[in-house]
Amino acid sequence: MRILVLGSTGYLGAHVAERLGALHGTRVLTGGRSAASDVPADLATDSAGRLAEALAAAAPDAVVNCAGATGGNPVTLAEANARGPAVLCEAMELACPSARLVHLGSAAEYGPGTGRTPATESAATRPLGAYGATKLAGTAIVTASALDALVLRVGNPVGPGAPPGGLPGRVARLLRDAGADTALRLGDLSAYRDFVDARDVARAAEQAVTAPGPLPRVLNIGGGRAVPVRELVHTLAGIAGFGGRIEEQGAGSARSGQVSWQCSDISAAGTALGWRPSYALRESLTALWSAGARRPVPCAEGEPSS
């Protein structure tokens, strides 16, 4: 089986490529902006025709799209998260229409939780901000295509290699830079988020690629519980042996103020794929701390935690 992983140098993409590479009888092809990629591609700028030529040469049996942007201005986000999936779907319909497409979406597509009830895949989508809106546009394009395609709506990723663009990676970096008895100054940590280990996301992608069809068009992939962001920070500080104070000074991120509670119902993924998260949050944070600082990755997927 030949599986193309687009965005294979990003945070989730690297985990997905590693997981799929361990499958017996599978060849993983890397795809991205790097000239070293098996399939050099930039979904934000490439034409569907050029990408179709590259896909025809690669002849994948499945494509996992981990490419995208979590930060930047609305134009940058739209190019990566909305235009990118549109170009990919058109190119696949031209070059490899029978290949399965697994696309990584985001729980940010739902927007704020309603009544503190976990969101099912049929819940209303009310994203706040350009990131969630452009990810929702990408999901709409993928689910409307004629391809054998599904979207994995990923919660807040955590675990080894978490980039500093999200709260877990940022706090880990701050803890490494802080003295043992100094104060760690952060914004408001009262929001609740649904954290999921990047390795569990990779396992979900593997199962989505290999499961017999037909499959639902959208599946939630999360930890399945709303965790106080404050709990995550204090747990990570304990793992790091931090003896200083954690001070919440002023407001948190704009998104945290608007989305105070978010959690996904993950039961459909259990039914369709036999998938459930296998890592507890403390295990994910321990792996994040043990892995040490890693360089930022520009196309890490998943909504920042705060």
Side-chain angles (χ1 to χ4, degrees):
M1 187 178 192
R2 296 167 64 85
I3 306 173
L4 171 61
V5 180
L6 292 166
S8 55
T9 60
Y11 175 38
L12 293 182
H15 281 284
V16 169
E18 181 180 7
R19 177 86 191 191
L20 293 173
L23 284 177
H24 179 70
T26 295
R27 181 183 174 192
V28 172
L29 305 171
T30 60
R33 298 187 186 99
S34 170
S37 298
D38 297 310
V39 181
D42 184 348
L43 301 185
T45 60
D46 282 348
S47 69
R50 198 213 73 78
L51 183 58
E53 292 177 359
L55 290 176
D61 299 296
V63 176
V64 183
N65 183 29
C66 305
T70 58
N73 61 44
V75 172
T76 298
L77 291 168
E79 288 172 343
N81 299 336
R83 181 192 189 276
V87 169
L88 176 59
C89 286
E90 183 176 347
M92 288 184 65
E93 288 173 3
L94 291 170
C96 50
S98 62
R100 174 170 290 175
L101 170 61
V102 177
H103 173 72
L104 297 193
S106 170
E109 298 168 34
Y110 290 119
T114 303
R116 298 208 167 189
T117 300
T120 65
E121 290 80 357
S122 61
T125 47
R126 300 175 295 126
L128 298 176
Y131 173 73
T134 57
K135 290 298 291 184
L136 179 59
T139 287
I141 291 164
V142 171
T143 57
S145 75
L147 298 167
D148 174 13
L150 70 154
V151 175
L152 302 181
R153 269 193 182 136
V154 178
N156 292 74
V158 66
L167 183 70
R170 178 163 61 90
V171 172
R173 174 170 288 185
L174 290 172
L175 287 168
R176 291 187 189 282
D177 293 341
D181 300 313
T182 60
L184 190 66
R185 296 178 175 86
L186 301 168
D188 177 47
L189 302 175
S190 63
Y192 286 69
R193 292 290 180 266
D194 187 339
F195 295 99
V196 59
D197 196 288
R199 295 164 293 182
D200 279 330
V201 176
R203 183 165 52 84
E206 174 199 330
Q207 291 173 242
V209 165
T210 58
L215 293 171
R217 287 300 227 178
V218 178
L219 289 172
N220 290 334
I221 302 298
R225 71 184 186 100
V227 176
V229 172
R230 186 175 293 120
E231 176 185 322
L232 176 142
V233 171
H234 282 268
T235 300
L236 184 54
I239 292 168
F242 179 68
R245 301 184 312 280
I246 296 175
E247 300 177 355
E248 299 179 39
Q249 298 185 339
S253 71
R255 179 174 178 269
S256 291
Q258 295 175 302
V259 184
S260 62
W261 192 94
Q262 195 171 59
C263 182
S264 296
D265 184 324
I266 57 174
S267 57
T271 301
L273 302 177
W275 179 91
R276 286 197 61 81
S278 60
Y279 292 95
L281 180 59
R282 185 175 185 86
E283 292 178 283
S284 301
L285 294 174
T286 299
L288 166 59
W289 183 254
S290 298
R294 290 173 59 176
R295 64 181 179 85
V297 289
C299 53
E301 276 290 66
E303 175 69 354
S305 305
S306 152

